[in-house]
Amino acid sequence: MSQLLEAFRLARLPDEAEAFRQEVREFLAAHLEPAAPAVRARTWMGFDAAFSRRLAERGWVGITLPSQYGGAGLDAFRRFVLVEEMLAAGAPVAAHWIADRQSGPLLNKFGTEAQKDFYLPRICRGEAFFCIGMSEPNSGSDLASVRTRATRVDGGWRLTGRKIWTTNAQRSHYMIALVRTSGAPEDRQGGLSQLIVDLSAPGVHVRPIVDLTGDAHFSEVTFDDVFLKEDALIGDEGSGWMQVNAELAFERSGPERLYSSVVLLDTWMQSLRKTGFSPTDATLLGGFTTQLATLRSLSVAVTTKLARGESPVVEAALVKDIGTEFEQAIPAAIEAAVAADPTRNAADDAELHRTIAYLSQISPTFSLRGGTREILRGMIARGLGLR
């Protein structure tokens, strides 16, 4: 417990990171096309390859990657500021999101020089979009039960199996897949490895999955005896479990685990400025503000550990768990507040209603993506020595 408390010691963004904020705002003002709140609410699930490439031209895709590979070579604090400002503005960043957030850093840490030389410059130019192949049918968030298998053959690997709930697989160029290269599913973490899969390879089949909102950012991916070259392996064979946990620390620690509903919160406040704040509204808004400030401080503390080169797996799991609970509470509470007094929320607030509808439909996924509550709380309990 004392180690966890130490990890969340109050931290703040350095002055140079805060100074970077104005530069990001100026870029967004110049390059982000106006869009309705219900569109901006999609933000890190909103796919716009052209916007991602404009961001790449500015040097802000692969922002933490070394300059020798085309990255900006900036620290995790400035990436935090960049992400925070883009989410607050509702920028459509899904195209480059996974490659920038975790695939690029993973390859930079565990990849061979040949892998870094090939993939990282393409990521930084906004030319290579990645997805994550972790979840499988009938496995949920139990990654250790992976059944997708890669078998060694002359010159490489043969890959067979399925992945599901893979974000933007139908629009991505590559997948980093967690697969079993030895043993059986009963061996759990043993025998797992990570492979880079070219999604245009023969035998790869991608089936988009339409969600309640009508979007199709999830997919099911089937590997039908797919041949991968020897250099598809990331790191050492059998080290996949260690590597994927390092990757998940990047996935679970960022502001996107706090700000998925922030466009709705802003839209609601704009509506209240027209109709007036009731005491109930003020109390609700004050509660949201307090929670967000606290969660943001926790996220900055985790970013501080990432900036030191650490892998805060347990701390990131905790922030993700309570952060997504907060994200889910916002649409539910605002929907109830609007419904409680319909006379103050007339037809001229149609954009507010559309934004509420979208987030009410999509918010149940917030506590699924990146690991379910049950999985995260098990990790936290182990980290605290409780199980």
Side-chain angles (χ1 to χ4, degrees), residues 138-211:
N138 305 315
S139 293
S141 290
D142 183 12
L143 298 183
S145 67
V146 163
R147 296 178 181 275
T148 296
R149 181 173 292 275
T151 304
R152 280 193 178 274
V153 295
D154 288 344
W157 307 84
R158 284 289 177 183
L159 180 64
T160 302
R162 281 193 297 165
K163 296 292 180 179
I164 201 166
W165 311 124
T166 306
T167 301
N168 286 324
Q170 75 274 29
R171 294 164 162 167
S172 296
H173 304 100
Y174 302 100
M175 172 193 286
I176 294 182
L178 181 68
V179 305
R180 190 163 296 283
T181 51
S182 64
E186 292 73 25
D187 296 324
R188 306 293 292 165
Q189 293 91 342
L192 297 178
S193 304
Q194 286 185 301
L195 297 176
I196 304 172
V197 182
D198 183 340
L199 294 175
S200 66
V204 178
H205 307 285
V206 180
R207 181 179 68 86
I209 300 171
V210 178
D211 62 29

Side-chain angles (χ1 to χ4, degrees), residues 3-63:
Q3 288 182 329
L4 197 56
L5 291 173
E6 179 64 27
F8 287 120
R9 184 176 293 277
L10 187 63
R12 59 181 295 274
L13 295 174
D15 292 342
E16 57 269 24
E18 287 294 355
F20 179 59
R21 191 178 300 278
Q22 184 57 35
E23 191 176 345
V24 176
R25 289 178 177 176
E26 290 171 359
F27 172 87
L28 291 172
H31 297 284
L32 183 61
E33 297 292 335
V39 174
R40 291 188 292 111
R42 283 159 168 79
T43 188
W44 67 281
M45 292 192 292
F47 194 99
D48 186 337
F51 177 81
S52 291
R53 292 192 178 104
R54 287 197 295 273
L55 198 68
E57 289 169 2
R58 186 64 183 79
W60 291 345
V61 175
I63 188 171

Side-chain angles (χ1 to χ4, degrees), residues 234-267:
I234 302 173
D236 297 323
E237 184 179 351
S239 295
W241 186 255
M242 176 273 293
Q243 292 172 196
V244 84
N245 274 284
E247 181 182 358
L248 286 169
F250 290 111
E251 180 178 350
R252 292 168 173 161
S253 62
E256 68 268 28
R257 300 307 180 186
L258 317 177
Y259 289 170
S260 295
S261 298
V262 74
V263 170
L264 171 59
L265 189 57
D266 182 59
T267 304

